[in-house]
Amino acid sequence: MSTLVQTPSAVAAAPSAKPVATPFGGRIIVGLIGVLLAVLVSGFNENVTRIALADIRGAMGIGHDEGSWLIALYAAPSVCAMAFAPWFSVTFSLRRFTLCAIGAFMLLGLLSPLAPNLHVLMLLRALQGLAGGALPPMLMTVALRFLPANIKVYGLASYALTATFGPSLGTPLAAFWVEYVGWQWAFWQIIPTSLLAMAAVAWGLPQDPLRLERFAQFDWRGLLLGFPAISMLVVGLIQGERLDWFESTLITTLFLGGGLLLVLLFINEWFHPLPFFKLQMLGLRNLSFALFALGVVLFVLLASSMIPTSYLAQVQGYRPLQSAPLMLWVALPQLLALPLVAALCNLRWVDCRWVLAIGMGMLVLSCGIGSHLTSAWIRDDFFVMQMLQVFAQPMAVLPLLMLSTGSIAPPEGPFASAWFNSIKGFAAVLAGGVLDALTTARLHFHSSMLVDRLGNNPLALDGQGAGLAQRLHQQAVVLTSADLYLYVAVIAAALILIIPFVPTRIYPPRAA
């Protein structure tokens, strides 16, 4: 397979403006590691406002509603940046753009805990989300542009690491800093690794020339339509559950306005000579399937991490740091599991579609075990489920990367990168919104059923103290968690059923 990220031939450029041809060697490996470190700390940083939100609110004197906007205002520009960053990296050069993104990301993280008020903190977090969201596409670009064909799959594995290892490790790290050092270090933890990443990128990646002539074909209309469209939809999904979805005028406006702008964006992108999103590429079966399956996989992975931690917090009273080993059981073995899965997928006789099916099957089994959850479960009872996910997660993510890039011609590379990364970012937010809605619906259902049973059996109330309401809530949480595991298992199983029929087989770039 040729490079995924070469400049499209549709863009006229002088010969001197072409990307620098760089032989593979130690410097490229160092550069790749630098970008990987930057993307990983970007992933860690996403969990900061979720894990440390109570401490941030207490330190800055802000309420729950205001605090929820910190999450939304970070996620929206982050998803937008994933969509538009590939174009700017080609124009300003990969090395220069990556260094600027890491530097801005680090500086904004340094300033965030020093914000004098909530509004300044929101602005800093929004700008940091923009810088952090620009980094994941750069990792895919570096891996597929510079790595030789026979090890290109390992480059994809490094990108997959950010979807499996990064989120699982980010939660324990944030919990550790908040518990033992101080809430400010939940923000400042990124600084040492970002400095190391900048040094590695500056030394390891070649410097391409500026390609400012690309602005002659810049898709201004696409940017002006796409940025608010994506932002409105992301904010609507994150705030929807808190504001009761379409019962809220704000949420209704965000969804309708974002949906309309998105339609206008796609119409513009269809006719633009150099769009951010090339809609014609959705006619490629493997790419379309990979984008759809990515949303399903991210939903399953998000549920697999959120359900047990929420259960342990609400039923067993665990603090975030006490739930951290649950995430570490999955995160740390990924460092071994991902290279092994990459080596398997790099064998010519191995069909990555069946690797995907087996990985999804293991996720189904893991969630099926979770559907038997009871109020007696503690952290160690989740061990078998988490161990199944050690190999299930990379086996589900890496084949999707191969399917989405394996049949793409070099000129289509930047468009495929924009599609994959923007769908990855948006699907994660969508999965969170769907999971929140399902959780609330099932929690209300089980709470009502339990109350009705007690009301129909007055003798069961004898001797019950003031803690009855709390015990009812805990039991409703247990039943809801079991239901969610079952739903997730069914969704994952449904994806397995279409794998033999939709995607076509692709081979690794060159047999190992």
Side-chain angles (χ1 to χ4, degrees):
M1 180 180 65
S2 301
T3 175
L4 174 65
V5 293
Q6 295 295 327
T7 304
S9 58
V11 179
S16 60
K18 292 180 178 179
V20 176
T22 306
F24 176 73
R27 294 188 70 159
I28 294 297
I29 294 177
V30 171
L32 174 64
I33 293 174
V35 181
L36 174 61
L37 288 175
V39 176
L40 286 175
V41 296
S42 173
F44 298 163
N45 196 61
E46 289 185 35
N47 293 317
V48 166
T49 43
R50 181 168 59 86
I51 300 301
L53 186 58
D55 297 87
I56 296 171
R57 286 167 47 205
M60 302 195 68
I62 60 178
H64 176 271
D65 292 348
E66 294 86 351
S68 69
W69 282 98
L70 288 174
I71 300 174
L73 293 178
Y74 182 92
S78 178
V79 177
C80 291
M82 293 182 186
F84 302 115
W87 191 95
F88 289 97
S89 70
V90 175
T91 303
F92 294 110
S93 86
L94 176 61
R95 178 176 178 269
R96 186 180 289 109
F97 183 82
T98 304
L99 285 173
C100 289
I102 299 173
F105 176 76
M106 178 181 63
L107 178 61
L108 293 163
L110 174 65
L111 296 176
S112 290
L114 307 178
N117 54 57
L118 175 63
H119 295 96
V120 175
L121 178 59
M122 285 182 173
L123 176 61
L124 292 173
R125 286 294 286 173
L127 293 174
Q128 192 183 30
L130 189 66
L135 292 172
M138 301 306 101
L139 178 60
M140 179 179 286
T141 297
V142 172
L144 294 172
R145 174 177 167 182
F146 295 114
L147 294 185
N150 62 321
I151 62 171
K152 206 173 287 287
V153 172
Y154 294 94
L156 293 175
S158 70
Y159 182 87
L161 199 66
T162 66
T164 57
F165 174 80
S168 297
L169 186 61
T171 299
L173 282 177
F176 172 81
W177 293 116
V178 170
E179 188 78 18
Y180 290 116
V181 183
W183 66 273
Q184 298 93 335
W185 282 94
F187 294 95
W188 291 343
Q189 65 174 332
I190 68 172
I191 295 174
T193 311
S194 295
L195 289 171
L196 181 60
M198 289 185 72
V201 169
W203 185 77
L205 296 186
Q207 180 60 67
D208 293 333
L210 288 170
R211 301 201 60 204
L212 301 181
E213 75 281 353
R214 286 167 53 86
F215 277 105
Q217 289 186 297
F218 183 58
D219 187 6
W220 293 101
R221 191 178 293 109
L223 181 63
L224 294 176
L225 290 170
F227 203 98
I230 296 172
S231 297
M232 293 172 73
L233 293 173
V234 168
V235 171
L237 286 168
I238 293 177
Q239 294 286 359
E241 184 58 34
R242 184 178 69 85
L243 298 177
D244 200 19
W245 296 104
F246 291 103
E247 296 299 320
S248 165
T249 302
L250 174 61
I251 298 301
T252 303
T253 302
L254 288 173
F255 279 133
L256 291 178
L260 176 61
L261 290 176
L262 192 65
V263 171
L264 295 176
L265 169 67
F266 287 157
I267 294 174
N268 175 77
E269 300 301 277
W270 182 269
F271 295 103
H272 198 279
L274 188 60
F276 292 109
F277 299 98
K278 190 172 182 179
L279 271 70
Q280 292 84 347
M281 292 184 65
L282 296 181
L284 299 172
R285 289 174 58 181
N286 282 354
L287 177 62
S288 297
F289 170 80
L291 296 178
F292 169 77
L294 180 65
V296 176
V297 170
L298 289 177
F299 176 77
V300 174
L301 298 188
L302 180 66
S304 299
S305 64
M306 288 185 62
I307 295 173
T309 54
S310 176
Y311 162 85
L312 289 172
Q314 296 186 67
V315 177
Q316 303 298 351
Y318 281 35
R319 291 178 56 82
L321 191 64
Q322 294 171 314
S323 300
L326 203 64
M327 301 293 101
L328 293 177
W329 291 342
V330 177
L332 296 180
Q334 294 289 319
L335 298 175
L336 175 63
L338 260 169
L340 292 177
V341 173
L344 178 66
C345 292
N346 208 27
L347 298 172
R348 188 170 180 82
W349 54 270
V350 174
D351 189 339
C352 73
R353 295 175 300 174
W354 306 125
V355 176
L356 172 62
I358 294 171
M360 295 303 298
M362 294 171 69
L363 289 174
V364 170
L365 179 58
S366 174
C367 294
I369 295 173
S371 67
H372 295 87
L373 179 74
T374 71
S375 59
W377 280 35
I378 59 174
R379 185 180 62 199
D380 292 348
D381 291 305
F382 292 91
F383 181 77
V384 174
M385 298 168 54
Q386 300 300 93
M387 289 300 99
L388 282 170
Q389 294 194 38
V390 169
F391 279 93
Q393 290 189 12
M395 291 175 73
V397 175
L398 186 55
L400 294 180
L401 288 165
M402 294 182 65
L403 287 169
S404 62
T405 61
S407 56
I408 301 298
E412 309 290 335
F415 304 117
S417 180
W419 270 118
F420 194 89
N421 284 283
S422 56
I423 292 296
K424 173 179 175 287
F426 185 78
V429 176
L430 178 61
V434 172
L435 193 61
D436 286 343
L438 280 175
T439 301
T440 300
R442 298 309 296 171
L443 193 60
H444 287 170
F445 171 79
H446 287 299
S447 296
S448 299
M449 293 295 293
L450 290 171
V451 170
D452 287 345
R453 269 186 201 175
L454 283 176
N456 293 329
N457 186 12
L459 294 178
L461 298 175
D462 292 344
Q464 299 294 331
L468 177 61
Q470 181 181 0
R471 290 196 292 274
L472 283 175
H473 175 72
Q474 289 179 342
Q475 187 59 36
V477 170
V478 172
L479 296 172
T480 298
S481 300
D483 285 353
L484 292 177
Y485 269 126
L486 184 60
Y487 294 157
V488 172
V490 171
I491 292 172
L495 179 63
I496 296 175
L497 296 178
I498 66 174
I499 291 175
F501 307 104
V502 179
T504 59
R505 180 174 184 181
I506 59 105
Y507 292 91
R510 189 169 70 233

